């Protein structure tokens, strides 16, 4: 297993992995996946094995001055490779890169019915600071807002 940064050729595998990870209303379109991965403010961490993509995280550096923070756009681990610490490695690497860029916090939205991800983030020290009604409009689902200081 190898942890590395993003390469242009990763988009298709990231898109397909996202489809395997989420139901339709939460999935990225191919073009959107490329856009968020290649944004100039993106932190992207990938784990692969024998050139097969096992997981990735995309975070964006946002805000101004002392209010700069990282925002997790998505984190996806292939279903058959879960519970092996891959998500933890990805998240920790993204957090380290954000901290190294001088950011003081990292946050995210998570669907209120995504119990696995909520347990995962809580285990990583994230705290729920709010709820956003109908954040996932296409799924008609609310989101919890989670934040962790870096
Ligand atoms: C959330 C996700 C990234 C976790 O990836 P992972 O590689 O399985 O995570 P780890 O193996 O590092 O898990 C670390 C800890 O998180 C918690 N956790 C992870 N999955 C869990 C689950 N299904 N139920 C309860 N706790 C869970 C556990 O405490 C786990 O530790 P343990 O395995 O010792 O019990 C993965 O389940 C996933 O890709 N889900 C689909 C996509 C998604 O929902 N992403 C988040 C969008 S906001």
């Amino acid at each position: 297993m190898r942890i590395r940064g993003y390469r242009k050729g990763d988009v298709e595998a990231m898109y397909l992995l996202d489809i395997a990870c989420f139901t339709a209303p939460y999935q990225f379109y191919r073009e959107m996946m490329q856009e968020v991965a290649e944004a100039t403010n993106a932190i992207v961490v990938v784990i692969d094995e024998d050139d097969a993509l096992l997981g990735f995280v995309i975070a964006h550096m946002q805000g101004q001055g002392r209010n700069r923070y990282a925002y997790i756009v998505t984190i996806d681990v292939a279903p058959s490779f879960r519970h092996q610490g891959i998500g933890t490695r990805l998240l920790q690497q993204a957090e380290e890169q954000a901290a190294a860029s001088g950011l003081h916090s990292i946050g995210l939205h998570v669907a209120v019915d995504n119990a696995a991800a909520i347990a995962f983030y809580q285990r990583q020290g994230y705290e729920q600071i709010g709820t956003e009604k109908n954040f996932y409009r296409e799924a008609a689902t609310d989101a919890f807002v989670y934040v962790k200081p870096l």
Side-chain angles (χ1 to χ4, degrees), residues 5-107:
Y6 171 78
R7 295 183 198 141
K8 265 192 184 296
D10 290 329
V11 171
E12 185 65 17
M14 287 164 78
Y15 166 70
L16 293 173
L17 181 51
D18 197 63
I19 286 176
C21 285
F22 290 98
T23 55
Y26 296 99
Q27 290 164 1
F28 280 87
Y29 293 106
R30 196 180 264 106
E31 296 74 17
M32 184 61 95
M33 182 63 82
Q34 180 162 10
E35 199 174 302
V36 294
E38 296 183 5
T40 52
N41 61 336
I43 292 171
V44 184
V45 186
V46 167
I47 288 186
D48 66 5
E49 189 169 59
D50 301 328
D51 284 330
L53 194 75
L54 305 186
F56 67 93
V57 59
I58 300 173
H60 282 176
M61 296 182 277
Q62 300 185 170
Q64 300 290 328
R66 273 186 292 164
N67 295 325
R68 288 175 73 225
Y69 63 96
Y71 178 77
I72 298 170
V73 177
T74 193
I75 179 164
D76 297 23
V77 174
S80 52
F81 286 88
R82 290 185 189 158
H83 290 291
Q84 298 179 29
I86 291 177
T88 300
R89 285 181 68 193
L90 290 167
L91 195 58
Q92 287 178 351
Q93 182 63 35
E95 290 171 3
E96 278 173 27
Q97 290 188 29
S101 295
L103 278 57
H104 297 295
S105 67
I106 183 163

Side-chain angles (χ1 to χ4, degrees), residues 83 110-123 144 146:
H83 290 291
V110 59
V112 296
D113 56 4
N114 191 346
I118 289 167
F120 169 73
Y121 291 125
Q122 287 178 343
R123 171 83 174 255
F144 290 135
Y146 273 83

